[in-house]
Amino acid sequence: MAIQVDPALVADHYSRRENQTREDREASPIIHLKKLNNWVKSVLIRIYAQAGDRVLDLACGKGGDLVKWDKARISHYVGVDIAKGSVEDARLRYEGVGSNGRGLPYHFSARLLCADCWKVSLEEPLKDDAPFDIISCQFALHYSFSEEARARRALQNVSSLLRPGGVFIGTIPDANVLVRKLREAPGLEVSNSVYRFRFDDRHADKRFPAKQPYGNTYIFALEDAIASVPEALIPFSALSTLAEEYGLTVEVRSNFHSFIAEHSRNPEFAELLRTMGVAERGKQMSAAEWDAAYLYLAFVFRKVGEAPRSERPKQPGGIYKPIQPHEIVFIPS
Ligand SMILES: C[S@@+](CC[C@H](N)C(=O)[O-])C[C@H]1O[C@@H](n2cnc3c(N)ncnc32)[C@H](O)[C@@H]1O
């Protein structure tokens, strides 16, 4: 049977994921990979965010990047995710519950929405929050490549909500690496001890014509993180061509291996590697985790034109106010 990306199943998968304790996290077989992923996101945020920025986090999950945005001294944050359970977790995290004892409060105002970001227009629901200086979409944009209409909606949402001159930053699987590994494998499955991905028989010839960039699905599983979820290949050339149509020009495309090589030369980010526990004395990332990191790339698009940044508050940082459960906005698909 053909593998399909069903948004309801994706939402259900992420909603069900349990919050791990600190001990569980540290015992994870992919703990260094998780820390590395967080380091990549932190570096992107440190390079591109400026104090006072207004930020949209598409597919925000459980709000795992809230602290990173706080450190960047943004003034306003909007998180949107399709998984109701994750949005509720993000709400609690913003309130301080489960924040690992980090002192309250955050220094920015926030709103949370539950919506299918690749289906509904976010223009009207976010008209009072836009324009954003930065839009971030971490480890999620590939789900939109299940269908052309969804990929277009994703980029339409980004383009309409980003100010001219603003940036769209993110991380996605590196389709070139996935396809190369698939071609090197004897069958339709590729795995190591921490990840596994499998294409269905439609892709038995292992050819992915450039003119059919959508709906090339596979099942992906990552030890202790993703349990067999259908995903879609997101060929970067197709993404950047489509993005151009929406006034977004590619500025960075960097596989995690080269991203790490480039940015760990910067003393500030090298230090961050240590403080975030990616490079711990005596505890090395396993070869399997390093190989898994190679499956991803970081990107930056910039919206054409130039408009003044959103009005800066006199003091960077907005006004913190906890979000009540009934204040989460649900947008039906
Ligand atoms: C791997 S998680 C990443 C979460 C978060 N961005 C992070 O980096 O921690 C992928 C997220 O994408 C969300 N997602 C998938 N499809 C979506 C859609 N159509 N609209 C909104 N969110 C979606 C999932 O619910 C999940 O929270």
Side-chain angles (χ1 to χ4, degrees):
M1 211 173 73
I3 296 166
Q4 299 215 324
V5 178
D6 176 347
L9 288 183
V10 172
D12 191 52
H13 166 80
Y14 282 105
S15 267
R16 279 162 187 266
R17 269 172 64 189
E18 304 246 322
N19 286 321
Q20 292 186 312
T21 63
R22 194 179 176 79
E23 288 70 35
D24 290 341
R25 269 201 302 276
E26 287 299 323
S28 165
I30 58 160
I31 180 62
H32 288 97
L33 177 64
K34 287 181 177 175
K35 289 177 176 177
L36 182 69
N37 290 346
N38 272 317
W39 178 83
V40 171
K41 294 194 285 182
S42 296
V43 169
L44 281 173
I45 289 172
R46 283 188 187 212
I47 294 174
Y48 291 98
Q50 292 191 20
D53 273 353
R54 299 175 71 80
V55 174
L56 172 61
D57 191 356
L58 291 175
C60 63
K62 297 167 184 287
D65 295 340
L66 284 170
V67 172
K68 300 177 190 73
W69 291 115
D70 203 38
K71 288 185 176 157
R73 303 168 77 210
I74 62 165
S75 63
H76 187 59
Y77 171 95
V78 177
V80 192
D81 199 282
I82 195 172
K84 191 174 165 207
S86 299
V87 178
E88 174 57 15
D89 285 342
R91 187 190 76 76
L92 291 171
R93 187 168 288 186
Y94 181 64
E95 206 173 75
V97 179
S99 65
N100 292 327
R102 194 182 158 275
L104 277 174
Y106 286 89
H107 299 88
F108 51 82
S109 52
R111 285 181 72 214
L112 290 170
L113 290 83
C114 188
D116 183 338
C117 300
W118 324 143
K119 177 135 193 227
V120 302
S121 169
L122 296 172
E123 219 171 325
E124 175 65 22
L126 300 185
K127 67 177 186 315
D128 294 336
D129 305 273
F132 294 94
D133 302 292
I134 299 202
I135 298 182
S136 171
C137 183
Q138 305 297 339
F139 300 106
L141 191 61
H142 50 299
Y143 292 109
S144 75
F145 260 60
S146 56
E147 292 168 30
E148 179 173 351
R150 293 176 68 75
R152 285 188 175 276
R153 171 60 74 196
L155 292 165
Q156 169 75 48
N157 276 333
V158 170
S159 182
S160 62
L161 294 165
L162 193 58
R163 78 166 162 81
V167 286
F168 175 39
I169 61 174
T171 43
I172 47 173
D174 187 330
N176 282 355
V177 173
L178 294 183
V179 170
R180 202 178 318 135
K181 281 183 177 288
L182 175 69
R183 287 181 180 150
E184 284 163 7
L188 287 166
E189 183 166 309
V190 178
S191 66
N192 76 9
S193 61
V194 300
Y195 69 75
R196 188 179 67 255
F197 62 89
R198 179 175 55 78
F199 285 80
D200 62 34
D201 293 339
R202 287 179 306 156
H203 299 293
D205 62 2
K206 303 189 181 181
R207 291 180 62 245
F208 296 90
K211 58 181 193 304
Q212 291 163 25
Y214 307 102
N216 293 311
T217 44
Y218 55 93
I219 297 278
F220 185 76
L222 181 64
E223 182 76 24
D224 191 38
I226 301 174
S228 299
V229 177
E231 302 193 346
L233 267 189
I234 180 162
F236 197 83
S237 50
L239 172 63
S240 50
T241 305
L242 193 63
E244 280 288 338
E245 283 189 39
Y246 292 92
L248 300 159
T249 307
V250 63
E251 204 164 281
V252 174
R253 170 224 184 134
S254 182
N255 180 280
F256 274 18
H257 279 192
S258 38
F259 188 92
I260 295 155
E262 179 184 348
H263 294 292
S264 59
R265 285 201 293 269
N266 174 322
E268 179 194 341
F269 300 146
E271 176 57 20
L272 195 62
L273 270 178
R274 277 183 289 280
T275 53
M276 291 181 77
V278 186
E280 289 172 297
R281 199 186 291 266
K283 288 195 207 155
Q284 294 257 320
M285 170 177 268
S286 67
E289 286 175 284
W290 182 243
D291 184 33
Y294 187 45
L295 302 182
Y296 294 92
L297 64 77
F299 66 76
V300 179
F301 289 93
R302 193 174 289 278
K303 184 163 165 189
V304 291
E306 189 54 60
R309 304 178 71 78
S310 46
E311 208 171 294
R312 309 283 98 176
K314 285 203 181 62
Q315 294 286 324
I319 297 155
Y320 173 77
K321 187 169 157 289
I323 300 169
Q324 302 305 317
H326 70 268
E327 290 175 316
I328 295 175
V329 177
F330 288 85
I331 306 177
S333 294

